């Protein structure tokens, strides 16, 4: 199966045959390293991020099907990079620290991971005397070693640095003191809103929180040939629209969990549930339109349908009355492809843990 999948059946065949087994191998190795982290809290958060967010790596690794010749490099890269993201998210969400310098230094690891020439540092320097046994540094250096070997990495690196930089900004702003978060996010939005006048501030923030565009950059970098016009077209489709759909769905199903944990949730910044649904449907339609114009549009359309199926089939949905009702609206008149991915999402959750 060397061709890019064009149908849901072809895509899921590739997922079951190549992606899930490879992700499992990578995750098992990372979990083993995490189990030897000396610091108890760091070990707890590392293992929790792996176990509770495995589907992030599974979903991200699907992009490797766009270049079967480089799957052995792309899947380890995507899994390692996504694991860094999920680990840091846990550290910041469950941290007693509210220090922006702490969050900024932790996320420097993501910027270092995409710069092969960068030297790793003590990313925990603002957390006191903590020791992860080289866990985070190892993930960073693994990413560096892989991207350094991609033939067109220099072509995509500027866009990667831009998107990872925005991702890091978001993580800093959203994790500081509760009384300062909204002000910081709105001030940050003021710097970018002229470029995205069609979005509301929380939709832009959501888009910056997605790693999907970064994975597309990895794929482009891995190919021997590079078409800059095509890369720009993909960049404009994935950011902001596909990325915004991704993270808005993530926040959509996490509303109750975030309420209990005191975490910021972008869905709470709409006037009401109906307003939220209207905007989510609009952003989704924009994403669908953009990906329909891309080369290999069938694949990217399935990525979008898969996102909707993956998140809307999550067990958290049935635990929230309002969310469950909203999902019924979002799933109404769904395509056969989305229903197919819905069934497979539930199956993968049961079997591939």
């Amino acid at each position: 199966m060397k061709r890019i999948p064009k149908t849901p059946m072809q895509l899921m065949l590739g997922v079951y045959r190549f992606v899930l087994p490879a992700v499992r191998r990578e995750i098992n190795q990372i979990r083993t390293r995490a189990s030897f982290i000396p610091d108890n809290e760091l070990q707890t958060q590392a293992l929790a991020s792996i176990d509770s967010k495995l589907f992030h790596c599974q979903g991200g690794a699907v992009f490797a099907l766009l270049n079967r010749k480089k799957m052995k490099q792309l899947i380890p890269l995507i899994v390692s990079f996504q694991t860094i993201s999920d680990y840091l998210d846990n550290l910041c969400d469950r941290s007693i620290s509210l220090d922006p310098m702490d969050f900024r230094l932790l996320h420097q690891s993501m910027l270092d991971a995409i710069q092969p020439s960068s030297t790793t540092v003590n990313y925990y320097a603002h957390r006191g005397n903590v020791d992860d046994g080289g866990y985070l540094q190892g993930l960073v250096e693994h990413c560096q070693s892989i991207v350094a070997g991609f033939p067109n990495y220099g072509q995509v690196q500027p866009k990667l640095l831009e998107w990872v930089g925005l991702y890091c900004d978001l993580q800093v702003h959203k994790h500081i003191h509760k009384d300062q978060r909204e002000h910081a996010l709105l001030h940050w939005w003021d710097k970018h809103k002229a470029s995205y006048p069609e979005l509301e501030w929380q939709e832009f923030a959501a888009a910056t929180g997605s790693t999907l565009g970064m994975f597309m950059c990895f794929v482009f970098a891995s190919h021997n040939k590079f078409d800059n016009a095509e890369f720009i077209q993909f960049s404009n489709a994935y950011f902001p629209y596909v990325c915004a759909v991704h993270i808005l769905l993530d926040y959509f199903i996490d509303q109750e969990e975030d309420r209990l944990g005191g975490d910021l949730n972008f869905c709470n910044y709409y006037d009401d549930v109906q307003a939220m649904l209207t905007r989510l449907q609009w952003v989704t339609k924009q994403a669908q339109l953009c990906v329909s114009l891309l080369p290999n549009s069938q694949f990217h359309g399935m990525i979008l349908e898969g996102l909707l199926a993956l998140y809307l089939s999550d067990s958290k949905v049935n635990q929230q009355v309002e969310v469950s009702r909203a999902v019924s609206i979002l799933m109404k008149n769904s395509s056969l492809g989305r229903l197919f991915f819905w069934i497979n999402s539930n199956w993968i959750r049961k079997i591939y843990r």
Side-chain angles (χ1 to χ4, degrees):
M1 186 190 139
K2 293 186 177 180
R3 294 182 179 178
I4 295 172
K6 293 183 178 181
T7 68
M9 188 66 72
Q10 290 174 351
L11 179 65
M12 292 313 303
L13 177 63
V15 168
Y16 286 120
R17 186 178 178 184
F18 302 112
V19 174
L20 293 178
V23 170
R24 176 177 279 175
R25 287 193 296 271
E26 291 299 315
I27 285 295
N28 285 343
Q29 293 175 11
I30 293 173
R31 185 184 285 111
T32 297
R33 293 199 295 273
S35 68
F36 286 102
I37 294 176
D39 184 273
N40 288 335
E41 179 59 19
L42 296 182
Q43 182 191 96
T44 296
Q45 296 305 333
L47 292 172
S49 69
I50 293 169
D51 293 336
S52 65
K53 299 177 180 180
L54 173 61
F55 71 98
H56 290 171
C57 292
Q58 292 170 331
V62 173
F63 283 91
L65 293 173
L66 287 166
N67 188 357
R68 282 271 288 110
K69 293 181 179 179
K70 292 293 178 69
M71 283 186 69
K72 290 184 178 180
Q73 292 79 37
L74 283 168
I75 290 181
L77 171 61
I78 290 170
V79 170
S80 293
F81 191 76
Q82 184 62 51
T83 298
I84 296 174
S85 169
D86 291 337
Y87 172 53
L88 298 185
D89 195 44
N90 266 40
L91 285 185
C92 295
D93 273 346
R94 304 295 165 243
S95 173
I96 59 173
S97 168
L98 295 173
D99 181 2
M101 292 179 65
D102 175 34
F103 302 144
R104 182 71 67 185
L105 184 56
L106 283 172
H107 283 87
Q108 180 62 40
S109 62
M110 292 186 70
L111 288 165
D112 288 345
I114 59 169
Q115 298 181 86
S117 60
S118 291
T119 302
T120 58
V121 299
N122 177 13
Y123 301 110
Y124 306 101
H126 294 292
R127 298 204 151 209
N129 187 26
V130 296
D131 180 15
D132 74 352
Y135 176 72
L136 183 54
Q137 179 182 339
L139 289 169
V140 170
E141 292 177 345
H142 191 45
C143 293
Q144 289 176 328
S145 67
I146 296 174
V147 297
F150 283 161
N152 281 294
Y153 189 67
Q155 301 290 332
V156 307
Q157 191 180 35
K159 181 58 69 176
L160 259 176
L161 287 169
E162 176 189 343
W163 284 346
V164 176
L166 288 172
Y167 180 93
C168 296
D169 288 342
L170 171 68
Q171 299 307 314
V172 172
H173 297 325
K174 67 173 281 203
H175 286 111
I176 57 178
H177 196 281
K178 294 178 183 179
D179 294 340
Q180 300 172 3
R181 291 173 185 172
E182 186 174 339
H183 174 77
L185 286 164
L186 290 173
H187 180 68
W188 178 53
W189 166 238
D190 283 340
K191 300 177 183 178
H192 298 283
K193 63 183 180 182
S195 299
Y196 305 97
E198 73 281 13
L199 297 182
E200 296 189 18
W201 75 265
Q202 66 269 36
E203 293 159 359
F204 167 78
T208 67
S210 174
T211 49
L212 297 186
M214 303 169 200
F215 300 155
M216 275 303 307
C217 286
F218 294 153
V219 171
F220 266 89
S222 70
H223 282 288
N224 291 325
K225 295 181 180 180
F226 185 84
D227 186 324
N228 191 59
E230 187 175 297
F231 178 62
I232 292 172
Q233 185 182 9
F234 272 93
S235 299
N236 292 338
Y238 270 80
F239 192 94
Y241 296 114
V242 176
C243 290
V245 171
H246 173 205
I247 300 302
L248 286 174
L249 288 170
D250 192 46
Y251 278 98
F252 175 67
I253 67 169
D254 281 348
Q255 289 178 76
E256 180 63 14
E257 181 180 302
D258 288 344
R259 185 187 68 80
L260 294 174
D263 299 326
L264 181 146
N265 189 300
F266 293 131
C267 289
N268 296 336
Y269 289 93
Y270 293 104
D271 291 337
D272 51 39
V273 174
Q274 184 55 53
M276 176 188 67
L277 284 176
T278 298
R279 289 299 297 176
L280 181 54
Q281 289 172 317
W282 181 85
V283 174
T284 301
K285 287 180 180 178
Q286 297 305 306
Q288 289 170 330
L289 175 61
C290 286
V291 300
S292 71
L293 302 175
L294 296 175
N296 301 309
S297 59
Q298 300 99 322
F299 180 91
H300 299 283
M302 290 189 292
I303 289 291
L304 199 52
E305 289 296 300
L307 280 174
L308 289 159
L310 176 67
Y311 282 99
L312 300 183
S313 65
D314 194 281
S315 60
K316 296 175 186 177
V317 169
N318 294 328
Q319 299 167 12
Q320 304 170 80
V321 176
E322 286 294 332
V323 172
S324 182
R325 289 173 181 166
V327 166
S328 297
I329 296 172
L330 291 171
M331 287 297 294
K332 188 177 181 180
N333 300 321
S334 290
S335 66
L336 290 176
R338 189 181 304 177
L339 295 174
F340 178 75
F341 292 135
W342 175 292
I343 294 169
N344 279 273
S345 295
N346 282 307
W347 176 253
I348 289 171
R349 285 191 184 95
K350 292 179 182 178
I351 303 301
Y352 292 90
R353 292 183 179 275

